[in-house]
Structures are given as structure tokens and as C-alpha cells.
Amino acid sequence: MEEIKQFFIKIGRADVDENMRNLVSDNIIDSLDVMNLINEIEKHYNKTLDSDFMRPMHFESFESIKQMISKAFDL
């Protein structure tokens, strides 16, 4: 989860933590934050994220982001 926290810090959203849920649904993060997260994830893994994984449901919590990364990059 520390890796995901670092992604949020890099996009200027250090206020978001692993205990928060419904990040997109509750407008804690917006579409620009999601795009910035995708950019950081792609840079970190040096791979492009398939568009199937670029859905709001994958960015609702640290856990959902972690699961999405595992599936997207076969980790």
C-alpha cells in the first residue's frame, strides 16, 4: 500500500490515505486525479495501462487500485 500512497503523493494528493473508501464516488478524487494516477502507475511500471482498467471502479480505494495493478500488469 505504500507504493500506492507514493502515487498519491506524487500527484499532490498526500491527503488521500489507505483508510478512505469511495474515492471517486464521493468526489474525493476527480477525473484529473485519476488520469494523473494512471500516468504515475504507467511510469512506475514502464508499461501502458490497458483502457479496460481505466474505469472509476478501479480507483475507489487503495485496495481496488492494488487489485487493478496486479491484474493489469500480471503481478
Side-chain angles (χ1 to χ4, degrees), residues 30-66:
D30 61 19
S31 58
L32 186 57
D33 292 325
V34 171
M35 292 310 297
N36 287 333
L37 282 170
I38 290 168
N39 185 47
E40 287 300 323
I41 291 166
E42 289 179 338
K43 282 195 312 191
H44 180 81
Y45 289 99
N46 200 27
K47 293 182 182 178
T48 302
L49 189 62
D50 189 277
S51 62
D52 290 343
F53 295 103
M54 294 182 193
R55 299 173 191 254
M57 65 184 203
H58 294 297
F59 295 89
E60 289 287 359
S61 67
F62 276 42
E63 185 60 37
S64 65
I65 295 169
K66 178 182 173 186

Side-chain angles (χ1 to χ4, degrees), residues 23-34:
L23 297 176
V24 177
S25 300
D26 290 345
N27 295 316
I28 297 168
I29 62 173
D30 61 19
S31 58
L32 186 57
D33 292 325
V34 171

